[in-house]
Amino acid sequence: MEKDNSSIERVHRGMSSSLLWLTLLFFFIMMGMIVSLQISLASLIGILSIGMMVGLITIYFGFNNRRPWAYKFAMAHWLFLILICILIGIQNLLVGVSGDILALVMSGMLIFISVGMIKRFSTFSNPIFIAWYLGKTNKIIATSNLDENEMRGACPNCLSLLAVKPLELH
């Protein structure tokens, strides 16, 4: 089970770092847009953006440190970042169609990131990941009545827990 926990820890670490780096990317893109605004409310919008960043970074630290309160917020944060990446990717695609190669490259990268984040989102509803995150993996082990040569697994489609005999798979 220790090997399984290290795998889950790697997944969690990857998800945490994605939250951090994409949040910082969002912040710098927002600051770039705000600086380019020529309206009197730009400073107020900048202050609100900084306040929002403090909240998002707090969610990141909570999720990174496996705080139970941060789990649902991290899911919402993840969905928010997917939406932002898609919207900015579409905007860059529209700018890139007019001939800006850099905008096309940025659009491709953001759409690629969005697809990867959408695929990884199912991890949030994986019962094994949830139990590990909340520190209840021992409860899963204690309540499992696995036969010899069986191991626990999760169906990638429906995420139900299964007992699998890997030596008998062909």
Side-chain angles (χ1 to χ4, degrees), residues 12-168:
H12 178 257
R13 193 170 35 250
M15 291 174 72
S16 293
S17 66
S18 293
L19 274 179
L20 176 63
W21 296 118
L22 290 173
T23 301
L24 292 173
L25 175 67
F26 167 69
F27 176 71
F28 290 123
I29 289 173
M30 283 297 296
M31 287 297 121
M33 288 179 179
I34 291 169
V35 166
S36 68
L37 290 176
Q38 298 298 323
I39 59 173
S40 60
L41 295 176
S43 60
L44 177 65
I45 295 170
I47 291 169
L48 290 174
S49 295
I50 291 171
M52 187 169 85
M53 281 305 299
V54 168
L56 293 176
I57 293 297
T58 302
I59 292 169
Y60 158 74
F61 280 114
F63 182 71
N64 189 47
N65 295 321
R66 292 174 55 191
R67 303 288 186 247
W69 63 265
Y71 193 77
K72 295 290 183 184
F73 287 114
M75 288 175 68
H77 186 177
W78 195 269
L79 290 172
F80 172 74
L81 289 173
I82 290 171
L83 178 67
I84 293 300
C85 286
I86 289 172
L87 291 176
I88 295 173
I90 290 171
Q91 181 220 5
N92 279 319
L93 182 63
L94 295 175
V95 170
V97 168
S98 66
D100 187 353
I101 300 297
L102 186 60
L104 275 176
V105 170
M106 182 73 154
S107 173
M109 289 172 41
L110 287 170
I111 291 171
F112 180 74
I113 289 169
S114 299
V115 169
M117 289 183 73
I118 290 168
K119 287 180 180 178
R120 251 190 170 172
F121 185 73
S122 63
T123 304
F124 280 108
S125 58
N126 184 311
I128 294 173
F129 182 78
I130 294 170
W132 173 84
Y133 183 88
L134 297 175
K136 297 180 180 177
T137 50
N138 291 338
K139 190 175 183 180
I140 285 180
I141 295 169
T143 59
S144 65
N145 296 324
L146 296 177
D147 292 335
E148 191 169 329
N149 295 327
E150 282 186 342
M151 65 181 288
R152 183 171 300 284
C155 174
N157 297 317
C158 67
L159 297 175
S160 60
L161 293 176
L162 307 168
V164 180
K165 292 185 176 181
L167 299 175
E168 294 180 16

